[in-house]
Amino acid sequence: MPNVKVKRFAAAAVAAAAFAIPATLPAAAAAQGYPQQNVLPVWPDNPNDASIGIGVIPYDEIAPKLNALQAQSNRVSARVAGKSSGGRDLYEVVVTAPETPAETAQQEAWKQLFQDDPVAARTNEALLANFKPTIFVNSSIHGNEYEGVDAGLRVIEELATSTDPAVEQLLQKTRLVVNVTANPDGRIAGVRPNDAGYDPNRDMATISQPETAVIRQLIVKHQPQFSLDLHGYVNRTLIEPTTPPHNANYEYDLYIKHALPLAIGMEDLIKTLPYPEVQNGVVIPFRDYPNGEWDDWPPIYVPMWAMFHGAIGQTIEAPLNPRGNLAAAERARRVAGNIDVHTAVIKTALKYSQDHRNQLLYDYAEYFRRGWAGEPNVDIPDGFVPGWDAEDNYKTEFPRSYVIPTGPSQRSQAAAKRLVDMLIGSDVRVTKAQAAFTAGGKSYPAGSYIVDMHQPKRGVANMMLEPGMDITDRVNDLYAAPAGWSHGLTWGATVDTLWDENPAVATERVFAGEAPGALPAGNTDLLLDPQDAADLRTLNALGEQGVKVHRLPDGSVLVPASARALAAEQAAANGSTFTSPPASWQGAELDKVVVAYTGSAEPRDVLADLGFEARQVSAATLTTGLTDDVDVLVIGGSLNPTSLNQANRAALDAFLARGGGVVGVGTAGAQFVNNAGLLTATATAAGGIASGVASMVNNGGPIANGAQPHSFILQPVWFSNLGAGAVVEQAYAADPLRAGWWPRTGNSGRGNAAGKASIVSHTTAAGNGVALIGTSVFARLHGKGLYPQLGRAILFAAAPLTDDAASTSEDGTVGGDVPATLGLTLGAPASFGAFTPGLARTYTASTTANVISTAGEAALTVSDPSPTATGHLVNGAFSLAQPLQANGSALPATAKTYAGPVSNDVASIEFTQAIGADEPLRTGSYSKTLTFTLSTTTP
Ligand SMILES: [Zn+2]
């Protein structure tokens, strides 16, 4: 039993916090004043517009109305801000008193001053006298919640045409910005989602849809102090603020002190309206609902997303459902009531912006001041506003900086670019190091990205980059999942957290991420280890151009030297990094891979992002869909082989008989492979709002090699009772919930998922490649880091290899002589950075191990050889209370297992160290020398 041992330190230090002075940027130049008018294109009359039957304004009448208002009034500016997924115009309207170009430039400069120097902003007398707070109204993001559009238009018209001097005065001191119809596709079709099938008001954390990209752009551009999202229908009317849980990255005291009285002011005005349903007041969830029933935890909703930018965000649900079988008079009454309610809400916000102007602007500046100062979450005392108590208090820790490395320690430069672009698009300030530097005990090349958390929108950055927290014990419910979403852990890029250090290196601010792609020198064959959707796009583009490649047992793909020019083109286009191939290899030949899939929008769009030619099939269309060119069937929605009609069953049988591969996702995937007789597997799903970020153990294999140790989950699925020959490439860790909400016990609880399979590969006796994936690769298009796992599963299923699976490796012989080799090289030592006394927190640190093994199976384990406080970090005579964990397990831990030989596999080892709030910490370094062992029982 040969062993290789390497010793390295896992270390941390207790250090003092650093301090830095914020930089300022020059104000953006503005060339135009207001109004900024445009003649909007008019859409053809559409008799099928669902608005007509409801009695609200049809889509095609909106542009003419706005054109007429612009012609009539110099207070109205309209433009097309973007297109819906169905290709329709999205209208941005600004209502304000006319401004000279100089006045507009001054407003823009003040807007910038709030961001750059909030203390200067709130003590600037000219600003305080003349700055125009902005109220952003987002109308009817749910298409069949109609009246927000009509209310927005009514308020625009009233403000545009009123001769009341009070209105003139108001418009001298405010801007109203209206996204007139946030989801025209849904409005016309009379449904909630857009034409692509997505609910845009669950997409703000992901920005996968054009409608949400426009909303994000409007919020970043206008920096509103108020963000009103007009919906329906909750009887009596519902107005936020919400119940807990409250996301800890808001400055919640600054929000609730305005949001609650504002909501009560809205209620007071609504109660005066002539509708019996609203006479007894409205529902304010913060005041009226139990914990968790209507919350602002996930950043998926528009008003919540605006709150991360300092706005007072509120969802408003109009009271009277006008849909269904109603008498015409009753429907008209309800529509009128809803328009009146939404109008009252907007008017109350306008009034509030003037009545509380000084406090509002002071607090708005305070939001950004705290960011620059890097201050911790404020302790908000019980009774801060009526009803505020311990269940409302959520806190997080802000690290000093995040680093998104470039170079060898970045697992995917394409993923890094996507994350950087997401941060920048969300108004986070990102810089690039102009020289190499060392931080947190790790070396970074020039070009690495740094997010200095001393910045005005540190809440936005932290909301995306922090892991999130386990809120299972604090709430029994959420309005909607996910309860965790960390882009830092689940979007495929390596992100390092520096708790107490902002790298000491010259930087420049950047406005886009970069992924230039790379090829090794020389005219050799090329190797691509697909670790991002971008890499699959590269490979699929090569397949499209007729390049034949080979998939190697570890999931990497060899591209022949003859295709070098094409590979270079795709590497540049997609940001893929090719390396040199091993000196000798065996692989399965692949030409262009064609996919058929079941399911709807999400599988369609993930497969498109991966670059596969993919066609949708269903139980009724296998005869026409499973044509001879289809290599792999992806089960993204239910398809039961045992209930197919004869012709479709025959088409499926023929597909399988010619070696077709199957990738099954979730419970539908397991049901299919069971009923098709391909693999026995029991699938169990978590229910309801079980969601967040799961900790995974990667065992390697063609699909899971190089996978991150975290996955996005939304009702995750795990597989057990697996048939013979199934290989578990990835499993849920011993405590599988890193962040989010998931009960511990019960059949669908996380305790039952612990250690169970999440990615399975299997080759049937007949040679079909079969894979199962239980993590949420499709859900809301959010799990970007999971996409390459689906892509690798498809490549595996398209061309399984006999030595992919442990069960078949023992009778395989390798050509040529291979000396028995076990090689182990460790990456940079793991460092937790600084431990902060008095704070309950789980610290993370990671390292990598490069593994070469010619053995039939091998295991990489991490152990603590010390007899002193074995398994715990020590600092002289002091030791930490809780054990050090490696990949989710206390030491000795199995970090990774190999079912077959591997060459240069990079195993990632994540260390976690929990420290309690009341745990005493001694100044100095806590560390342990650990032993990493690569061992085998079948050399
Ligand atoms: Zn809604």
Side-chain angles (χ1 to χ4, degrees):
M1 178 171 166
N3 285 334
V4 178
K5 297 191 177 190
V6 181
K7 294 189 176 190
R8 279 291 164 82
F9 290 96
V14 177
F19 187 75
I21 295 165
T24 53
L25 285 170
Q32 284 181 287
Y34 274 99
Q36 299 174 8
Q37 296 187 330
N38 300 281
V39 176
L40 305 173
V42 173
W43 287 71
D45 184 51
N46 178 359
N48 297 320
D49 187 327
S51 307
I52 298 167
I54 298 291
V56 292
I57 187 170
Y59 178 71
D60 62 84
E61 292 181 15
I62 295 174
K65 183 167 185 76
L66 293 173
N67 285 337
L69 285 170
Q70 289 185 103
Q72 193 181 350
S73 169
N74 61 3
R75 298 168 178 171
V76 180
S77 306
R79 73 175 183 113
V80 175
K83 300 271 190 192
S84 70
S85 69
R88 299 185 176 92
D89 292 336
L90 302 168
Y91 305 118
E92 170 195 356
V93 169
V94 179
V95 185
T96 195
E99 296 170 12
T100 65
E103 285 169 338
T104 299
Q106 181 62 74
Q107 291 293 330
E108 295 302 311
W110 283 335
K111 214 156 67 181
Q112 193 65 42
L113 190 63
F114 274 110
Q115 307 288 309
D116 291 343
D117 192 345
V119 173
R122 74 184 181 195
T123 52
N124 181 319
E125 286 186 17
L127 183 158
L128 294 175
N130 295 304
F131 178 73
K132 294 179 165 181
T134 293
I135 289 117
F136 174 59
V137 175
N138 194 50
S139 291
S140 301
I141 191 170
H142 290 146
N144 60 357
E145 300 168 9
Y146 299 95
E147 294 87 349
V149 173
D150 301 74
L153 287 168
R154 177 193 286 178
V155 174
I156 292 167
E157 181 166 10
E158 285 185 20
L159 295 178
T161 58
S162 172
T163 55
D164 183 346
V167 169
E168 171 64 29
Q169 212 171 5
L170 171 72
L171 293 177
Q172 295 286 349
K173 290 293 173 69
T174 193
R175 284 180 183 167
L176 177 72
V177 176
V178 186
N179 187 18
V180 177
T181 176
N183 178 3
D185 301 352
R187 183 177 186 81
I188 288 170
V191 297
R192 181 183 179 94
N194 65 5
D195 272 1
Y198 293 89
D199 179 344
N201 205 38
R202 301 290 180 273
D203 188 53
M204 292 306 293
T206 312
I207 313 288
S208 70
Q209 301 302 303
E211 292 87 351
T212 47
V214 164
I215 291 166
R216 180 171 79 156
Q217 177 208 77
L218 293 179
I219 291 172
V220 169
K221 171 183 166 188
H222 291 289
Q223 303 288 339
Q225 282 68 40
F226 299 85
S227 182
L228 308 177
D229 215 46
L230 306 185
H231 291 250
Y233 301 94
V234 174
N235 198 359
R236 290 210 297 144
T237 306
L238 180 147
I239 300 177
E240 293 178 347
T242 73
T243 72
H246 307 301
N247 194 280
N249 291 297
Y250 308 125
E251 301 294 336
Y252 216 85
D253 57 325
L254 302 177
Y255 168 74
I256 194 72
K257 70 190 281 191
H258 292 290
L260 184 59
L262 176 55
I264 291 169
M266 291 169 174
E267 176 180 48
D268 288 344
L269 184 55
I270 289 167
K271 279 163 71 174
T272 68
L273 298 174
Y275 305 95
E277 291 90 342
V278 299
Q279 299 298 304
N280 294 321
V282 309
V283 172
I284 298 176
F286 176 81
R287 181 187 67 186
D288 302 327
Y289 276 177
N291 192 358
E293 186 159 329
W294 191 292
D295 62 278
D296 50 14
W297 179 253
I300 57 178
Y301 315 109
V302 173
M304 277 68 255
W305 200 84
M307 284 162 64
F308 289 106
H309 298 259
I312 296 158
Q314 293 171 290
T315 299
I316 293 93
E317 299 279 350
L320 307 169
N321 189 341
R323 302 185 295 237
N325 188 18
L326 295 171
E330 173 62 8
R331 192 189 319 276
R333 186 190 75 88
R334 293 186 181 195
V335 166
N338 292 333
I339 296 173
D340 284 351
V341 163
H342 281 321
T343 302
V345 160
I346 299 170
K347 288 186 170 175
T348 307
L350 285 165
K351 184 168 187 311
Y352 190 96
S353 76
Q354 302 310 306
D355 291 352
H356 303 274
R357 183 187 162 85
N358 287 353
Q359 189 66 48
L360 186 73
L361 295 181
Y362 185 92
D363 291 336
Y364 182 66
E366 174 68 5
Y367 187 94
F368 304 114
R369 188 200 64 77
R370 289 179 188 173
W372 280 118
E375 290 180 3
N377 280 136
V378 168
D379 268 312
I380 306 175
D382 288 359
F384 176 74
V385 294
W388 182 274
D389 58 31
E391 74 173 16
D392 290 295
N393 250 319
Y394 281 77
K395 297 183 118 187
T396 189
E397 311 300 333
F398 298 102
R400 183 60 187 83
S401 64
Y402 290 98
V403 178
I404 303 168
T406 54
S409 71
Q410 177 51 260
R411 63 184 299 284
S412 168
Q413 194 61 37
K417 171 182 162 50
R418 176 179 47 238
L419 181 59
V420 166
D421 287 343
M422 179 73 172
L423 290 164
I424 291 170
S426 304
D427 214 19
V428 172
R429 298 176 186 211
V430 180
T431 63
K432 197 167 78 168
Q434 292 180 298
F437 62 95
T438 300
K442 183 171 166 182
S443 296
Y444 296 93
S448 293
Y449 300 101
I450 298 168
V451 180
D452 180 349
M453 288 292 285
H454 287 191
Q455 64 165 297
K457 295 200 176 166
R458 57 101 181 252
V460 181
N462 208 50
M463 169 269 280
M464 291 190 200
L465 296 178
E466 72 171 351
M469 67 177 88
D470 180 352
I471 58 170
T472 310
D473 296 334
R474 293 201 59 176
V475 289
N476 295 319
D477 198 7
L478 281 182
Y479 184 74
W485 51 85
S486 177
H487 303 70
L489 293 183
T490 69
W491 270 34
T494 303
V495 179
D496 293 335
T497 304
L498 296 176
W499 287 105
D500 295 288
E501 187 177 359
N502 187 44
V505 62
T507 59
E508 62 172 329
R509 190 171 171 186
V510 291
F511 296 92
E514 289 172 10
L519 269 68
N523 197 21
T524 62
D525 292 346
L526 300 163
L527 194 70
L528 180 60
D529 181 19
Q531 294 298 348
D532 190 80
D535 298 328
L536 274 303
R537 286 200 294 278
T538 289
L539 293 170
N540 281 315
L542 293 175
E544 189 68 46
Q545 295 172 89
V547 177
K548 287 187 164 56
V549 300
H550 283 83
R551 185 184 67 75
L552 306 192
D554 67 358
S556 60
V557 175
L558 189 130
V559 176
S562 58
R564 187 180 179 88
L566 294 174
E569 205 173 281
Q570 291 305 320
N574 297 313
S576 294
T577 301
F578 285 90
T579 57
S580 297
S584 65
W585 51 268
Q586 294 181 307
E589 188 179 81
L590 283 171
D591 54 11
K592 179 184 170 182
V593 176
V594 176
V595 174
Y597 69 93
T598 61
S600 54
E602 289 170 339
R604 174 195 70 202
D605 293 341
V606 173
L607 290 166
D609 198 30
L610 291 165
F612 286 105
E613 179 183 325
R615 75 182 65 123
Q616 189 183 36
V617 295
S618 68
T621 63
L622 298 182
T623 49
T624 52
L626 277 185
T627 45
D628 284 352
D629 58 334
V630 173
D631 300 291
V632 177
L633 176 60
V634 172
I635 303 297
S638 277
L639 180 69
N640 188 348
T642 61
S643 58
L644 295 172
N645 70 23
Q646 202 176 354
N648 283 292
R649 177 71 205 215
L652 176 63
D653 289 344
F655 168 75
L656 296 173
R658 62 180 164 80
V662 173
V663 177
V665 177
T667 52
Q671 183 205 40
F672 179 90
V673 300
N674 272 302
N675 290 337
L678 297 168
L679 176 65
T680 306
T682 301
T684 309
I689 56 160
S691 58
V693 179
S695 295
M696 318 305 298
V697 175
N698 290 305
N699 300 321
I703 303 171
N705 259 337
Q708 288 185 296
H710 297 102
S711 292
F712 178 63
I713 52 168
L714 207 164
Q715 299 187 338
V717 171
W718 53 97
F719 307 107
S720 54
N721 304 317
L722 295 167
V727 177
V728 177
E729 295 202 20
Q730 184 191 65
Y732 292 92
D735 183 355
L737 190 69
R738 179 71 180 84
W741 190 95
W742 191 358
R744 288 178 175 73
T745 57
N747 186 52
S748 61
R750 61 172 115 153
N752 192 22
K756 302 272 172 53
S758 55
I759 296 179
V760 176
S761 59
H762 174 60
T763 305
T764 67
N768 301 94
V770 176
L772 291 174
I773 298 177
T775 52
S776 303
V777 61
F778 293 137
R780 303 227 185 105
L781 308 182
H782 187 75
K784 305 296 186 197
L786 304 182
Y787 288 18
Q789 296 165 24
L790 178 69
R792 294 170 76 108
I794 291 169
L795 299 188
F796 159 78
L801 283 159
T802 48
D803 54 353
D804 275 329
S807 60
T808 57
S809 63
E810 56 202 30
D811 55 6
T813 52
V814 182
D817 292 326
V818 179
T821 305
L822 284 178
L824 178 61
T825 314
L826 293 184
S831 170
F832 290 111
F835 294 148
T836 307
L839 298 175
R841 182 197 283 166
T842 299
Y843 296 83
T844 61
S846 59
T847 188
T848 55
N850 190 288
V851 173
I852 299 173
S853 166
T854 57
E857 52 76 32
L860 175 65
T861 56
V862 184
S863 59
D864 175 7
S866 162
T868 309
T870 306
H872 295 251
L873 295 181
V874 298
N875 176 11
F878 297 89
S879 62
L880 294 179
Q882 299 178 67
L884 177 69
Q885 294 201 338
N887 287 355
S889 304
L891 308 185
T894 300
K896 190 162 180 176
T897 58
Y898 296 91
V902 289
S903 290
N904 293 319
D905 175 67
V906 180
S908 52
I909 298 148
E910 193 192 38
F911 293 100
T912 52
Q913 177 63 58
I915 291 183
D918 53 357
E919 183 171 349
L921 296 179
R922 178 80 178 97
T923 307
S925 281
Y926 284 83
S927 65
K928 258 299 167 60
T929 302
L930 302 176
T931 302
F932 294 74
T933 305
L934 183 67
S935 62
T936 180
T937 51
T938 53

